[in-house]
Amino acid sequence: MRTSNPVHRPPAAPPVRTRRSVSGLVLACVAAAAVLTGCSMEEATCGGGEYPVLSVGGTGSACVPNGEEPPEGYTRYPEGKVPEHVGDTWDVYWQTHTVDEHGKVVEVPEAG
């Protein structure tokens, strides 16, 4: 007759596998929370309560509190051409274009 050892237990999972599982679970929860709360993983051009402005004659930009006018040397982006996130279509566009002193959109000459 064969007897089993009541103290014998199967070996535990390697610690690496456990850490990997926990990391995966944490990342899944963060992603789910972002989707459920409507958070974007993209970096916003300006913070809440601010809007972006473009430097006149250059490619620089700044953020101005809502309700305030742009500082001297800056203007609002043309309607419909406002960058919302770093690297979006309009953010890339305004790296090579600007608004001149008459409000006309022009290409920025290449430096060199």
Side-chain angles (χ1 to χ4, degrees):
M1 180 162 118
R2 192 170 182 180
T3 61
S4 62
N5 184 350
V7 179
H8 178 72
R9 295 184 183 121
V16 173
R17 181 178 291 168
T18 302
R19 278 188 295 234
R20 203 176 297 157
S21 296
V22 170
S23 296
L25 180 61
V26 168
L27 287 174
C29 289
V30 168
V35 169
L36 293 173
T37 61
C39 292
S40 174
M41 300 305 260
E42 297 174 309
E43 182 180 350
T45 301
C46 290
E50 297 179 318
Y51 68 94
V53 293
L54 174 68
S55 66
V56 175
T59 58
S61 64
C63 295
V64 176
N66 291 341
E68 290 188 20
E69 289 298 313
E72 187 175 333
Y74 287 84
T75 188
R76 294 176 188 266
Y77 284 92
E79 190 173 336
K81 297 182 178 183
V82 181
E84 295 181 14
H85 297 99
V86 174
D88 71 11
T89 301
W90 291 117
D91 183 53
V92 172
Y93 176 83
W94 292 111
Q95 291 174 17
T96 57
H97 293 78
T98 192
V99 175
D100 68 13
E101 62 276 357
H102 305 291
K104 181 180 174 187
V105 175
V106 294
E107 257 189 87
V108 177
E110 289 188 40

